[in-house]
Amino acid sequence: MCGILAVLGCTDDSQAKRVRVLELSRRQFFFSLLRHRGPDWSGIYQHGDNYLAHERLAIVDPDSGDQPLFNEDKTIVVTVNGEIYNHEELRKDLKNHKFRTGSDCDVISHLYEEHGENFVDMLDGVFSFVLLDTRDNSFMVARDAIGVTSLYIGWGLDGSVWISSEMKGLHEDCEHFEVFPPGVLYSSKSGGFKQWYNPPWYNESVPSTPYEPLAVRHAFEAAVTKRLMSDVPFGVLLSGGLDSSLVASITARHMASTKAAKRWGSQLHSFCVGLEGSPDLKAGKEVADYLGTVHHEFHFTVQDGIDAVEDVIYHVETYDVTTIRASTPMFLMSRKIKSLGVKMVLSGEGSDEIFGGYLYFHKAPNKQEFHQETCRKIKALHKYDCLRANKATSAFGLEARIPFLDKEFINTVMSLDPESKMIKPEEGRIEKWVLRRAFDDEERPYLPKHILYRQKEQFSDGVGYSWIDGLKAHAAENVNDKMMSNAAHIFPHNTPLTKEAYYYRMIFERFFPQNSARLTVPGGATVACSTAKAVEWDANWSNNMDPSGRAAIGVHLSDYDGNSKVAVSLPPPKTVEDTPMMMGHGVVIQT
């Protein structure tokens, strides 16, 4: 992912202000302030009291796609972070326009010329952009539907509006700043926010479309293949769990047809990280051997992770416990991947939110509660897994693409009658059954059966259970009981309830001391990554509030109560073609 920074409508148009904007875009602090996001090229544009800066990570058209981008007469200026996967189709509809580059993002200024501000929903991709219309000095800002790209907005005392890919680009210069909401655009003409993304599932009403395995399969294959758009070497993150394994399997099948394969070779590279002997390392290697990828294992120790926590908090810009736990191994792995010359990876985030794959979904009381919880989880992704995937990789100039969060794929899955997603062990239906069944192909298997039906393992657990235990022990050495007894007075907002949370909060406050900064981080009760509402599903959970999957007592095979569980035995799988279609209310119709 690239990095963008814009200062719009400031009262100072002096050379000193231009230097300040450049400093914010390039300044060293651990790594460059925003340059770590885009190490390939820097660009800045000034028009009167408006400044647009860009740090580029070149994935598509690396030779000529430097930014900012312009229309034909340079009256429309755009700085953008992201990928527009349907740019070739959009170019065909813009026959009367001349494009300056082959960049996928070059279509944005021309779409604005044709449609004004009402073009954002035409973009199929992930993006954050600032567009300046120099003809009337107006501007618009937009962020992608789910918030895969990161974006913040702030306001200076002089009335200026600041936009930045990361909080560190504006927190020192703004009187107030906040997360720019996903699926929203901001217009200087109206002076406010407008929701551009409003799919049917957004109102959380229960859908009724029957489950068709092949429809799910085809939609996800399309989501993966469109993300293979790259002119540089890429790979896949492969933990050996269901989600990353399916991404790797589909990518391997289509690898030979990509531009990158023709230039860099058709054998897919896969990457996994974990403590020595961790579940992910074992499963990841097994899947890699099955798919025939060039597999790279990265081992880290608990101490390696602890040593990196401060850097992780600085880059990921959060004090949320589960995000930091999962970001640290990803941060360490990203550095290793980038050192191999890889600039883009595909990853498996988002599946658990849209399919209800977290282990606590076992306790969903009915299909309405199940569906509404998935809606809440998707809407909050930009605060958690998207934040982690984007910033932990961007810290080293690596881009992560997330096929499960494709707009069309989300619409397909979220239109299903949630009865088909419900977890029913007595019927052999474990979490994410509809996804597993969709890719259960006897004739041309995507994955080995035991991988296809492996129990959900959260990333921070899968890298090795002693990772979280080690973090807790380290925090206990640095936070004493007296500190905890006064936590509510020291941190009245999102008061840390554990020593681990207190430890992360201290580090975060040192880097980002502003009140606006602490308000950007979510809080509330959670168990096994649930929302606060879902905690009500099981009275026992209130006594064990931890985001680890092992907190799903009675569900996880190695949960915190110390009891070993018996894995769900599945009936002999059938091919998709033989699978009954699941209708609403549990009615099964054979096709």
Side-chain angles (χ1 to χ4, degrees), residues 117-167:
E117 295 178 347
N118 300 315
F119 71 90
V120 183
D121 199 30
M122 299 170 66
L123 302 174
D124 182 7
V126 296
F127 50 82
S128 297
F129 68 80
V130 179
L131 182 151
L132 175 66
D133 188 338
T134 64
R135 296 170 299 185
D136 59 5
N137 217 36
S138 65
F139 65 88
M140 66 174 291
V141 186
R143 187 180 183 188
D144 65 78
I146 306 300
V148 174
T149 61
S150 59
L151 196 65
Y152 295 83
I153 183 170
W155 292 268
L157 282 174
D158 61 353
S160 57
V161 177
W162 292 61
I163 305 294
S164 180
S165 294
E166 296 187 0
M167 188 162 58

Side-chain angles (χ1 to χ4, degrees), residues 507-524:
I507 298 171
F508 178 89
E509 296 274 346
R510 177 154 40 91
F511 291 135
F512 308 105
Q514 300 87 350
N515 186 55
S516 290
R518 61 183 67 99
L519 294 177
T520 64
V521 181

Side-chain angles (χ1 to χ4, degrees), residues 298-315:
F298 304 121
H299 297 186
F300 76 102
T301 66
V302 172
Q303 189 60 52
D304 291 335
I306 289 171
D307 291 343
V309 164
E310 288 204 12
D311 287 0
V312 168
I313 292 173
Y314 173 76
H315 277 285

Side-chain angles (χ1 to χ4, degrees), residues 461-478:
D461 287 328
V463 297
Y465 296 149
S466 59
W467 164 233
I468 293 177
D469 299 336
L471 281 173
K472 290 180 176 180
H474 178 73
E477 295 174 357
N478 288 272

Side-chain angles (χ1 to χ4, degrees), residues 569-581:
S569 60
L570 296 164
K574 304 175 183 178
T575 61
V576 162
E577 289 73 13
D578 296 331
T579 303
M581 301 296 105

Side-chain angles (χ1 to χ4, degrees), residues 56 60-61 64-65 67 69 87 91 101-107:
R56 189 184 186 207
V60 176
D61 187 27
S64 66
Q67 297 193 34
L69 298 166
H87 72 104
R91 284 172 184 261
T101 76
S103 169
D104 51 292
C105 297
D106 209 356
V107 297

Side-chain angles (χ1 to χ4, degrees), residues 349-405:
E349 284 80 7
S351 173
D352 293 310
E353 284 73 17
I354 63 177
F355 286 103
Y358 289 109
L359 296 183
Y360 72 89
F361 275 94
H362 279 252
K363 300 295 183 75
N366 54 60
K367 70 177 187 178
Q368 179 177 353
E369 288 276 352
F370 189 105
H371 178 71
Q372 290 176 345
E373 176 69 0
T374 60
C375 294
R376 290 190 292 265
K377 289 293 292 180
I378 297 170
K379 292 175 184 178
L381 263 170
H382 67 286
K383 304 175 185 177
Y384 298 100
D385 286 17
C386 288
L387 188 82
R388 165 177 58 81
N390 181 285
K391 294 182 180 180
T393 54
S394 293
F396 298 101
L398 183 68
E399 176 177 306
R401 294 185 180 174
I402 319 294
F404 280 108
L405 297 182

Side-chain angles (χ1 to χ4, degrees), residues 419-436:
E419 182 68 27
S420 63
K421 298 183 190 178
M422 292 283 285
I423 301 164
K424 298 183 178 181
E426 69 279 3
E427 298 179 17
R429 284 168 46 178
I430 62 174
E431 65 276 354
K432 291 186 285 193
W433 178 86
V434 295
L435 178 63
R436 300 175 196 272

